[in-house]
């Protein structure tokens, strides 16, 4: 990043522990995996390491004069409607749509392939209970969920 050419600070990277005891056997070839402990995102050690990495990254990026310009450019590039190909299940047609910068897509359900956006996604949440009460299949939102423990 050319904008960081003025960065003259010494970067102190967090120390990452090597666990030499973790070795996998792939078809007779022993392959060490000293950083396997980082694969557990919920461990306190991994969280501490990631937090230190984030602090280091932020300390550098704060000095980057083009950071906000880059953010604006990327936002502009990603801000366009996105549609997935429709698919049929039973007697209904489904497709996913994102208006641009939504954090997740919205699932639309219709009776035919004559797609017309009936409710804006931001309005969908407000009108959801009314739609369910009237049982008119217009739009269904995909709700975030956590899988049950196995």
């Amino acid at each position: 990043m050319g904008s960081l050419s003025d960065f003259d600070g010494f970067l102190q990277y967090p120390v990452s522990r090597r666990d030499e005891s973790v070795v996998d056997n792939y078809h007779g070839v022993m392959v060490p995996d000293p950083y396997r402990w980082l694969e557990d995102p919920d461990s306190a050690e991994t969280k501490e390491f990631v937090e230190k990495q984030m602090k280091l990254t932020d300390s550098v990026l704060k000095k980057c004069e083009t950071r906000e310009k880059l953010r604006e450019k990327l936002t502009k590039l990603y801000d366009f409607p996105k549609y997935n190909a429709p698919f049929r299940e039973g007697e209904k047609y489904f497709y996913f749509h994102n208006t641009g910068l939504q954090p997740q897509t919205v699932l639309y359900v219709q009776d035919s392939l004559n797609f017309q956006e009936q409710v804006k996604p931001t309005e969908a949440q407000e009108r959801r209970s009314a739609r369910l009460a009237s049982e008119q299949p217009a739009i269904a939102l995909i709700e975030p969920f956590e899988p049950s423990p196995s």
Side-chain angles (χ1 to χ4, degrees):
M1 286 194 290
S3 62
L4 294 177
S5 60
D6 294 335
F7 185 79
D8 57 2
F10 176 72
L11 298 178
Q12 183 63 44
Y13 288 90
V15 177
S16 55
R17 171 179 68 82
R18 288 181 61 95
D19 182 358
E20 301 296 341
S21 69
V22 180
V23 179
D24 292 318
N25 183 339
Y26 294 109
H27 308 288
V29 177
M30 302 307 282
V31 179
D33 191 359
Y35 301 106
R36 170 111 21 109
W37 61 271
L38 282 169
E39 294 178 14
D40 180 5
D42 299 320
S43 78
E45 188 178 17
T46 301
K47 288 179 181 181
E48 179 184 353
F49 179 79
V50 169
E51 183 63 34
K52 288 177 181 176
Q53 287 278 23
M54 289 173 47
K55 283 182 182 177
L56 175 66
T57 301
D58 287 342
S59 73
V60 173
L61 291 178
K62 283 180 194 172
K63 297 176 176 149
C64 178
E65 68 270 6
T66 61
R67 185 178 190 186
E68 192 53 40
K69 288 180 188 177
L70 180 60
R71 181 189 316 272
E72 290 170 11
K73 177 83 170 182
L74 288 173
T75 300
K76 192 182 254 186
L77 288 172
Y78 281 98
D79 191 10
F80 65 92
K82 299 158 194 77
Y83 293 88
N84 288 71
F87 59 96
R88 183 177 174 179
E89 287 291 329
E91 297 297 317
K92 302 288 182 185
Y93 293 91
F94 300 83
Y95 70 100
F96 292 96
H97 174 60
N98 184 307
T99 59
L101 298 175
Q102 291 174 279
Q104 64 187 32
T105 58
V106 176
L107 174 64
Y108 287 77
V109 182
Q110 293 196 205
D111 293 324
S112 72
L113 287 175
N114 297 325
F115 292 120
Q116 293 180 344
E117 193 167 318
Q118 297 175 10
V119 180
K120 291 182 181 175
T122 54
E123 296 170 15
Q125 291 175 327
E126 299 168 5
R127 297 178 49 180
R128 186 166 155 195
S129 58
R131 185 192 76 250
L132 292 175
S134 67
E135 297 196 29
Q136 293 181 9
I139 297 175
L141 293 176
I142 296 178
E143 297 293 333
F145 72 96
E146 290 188 29
S148 59
S150 44

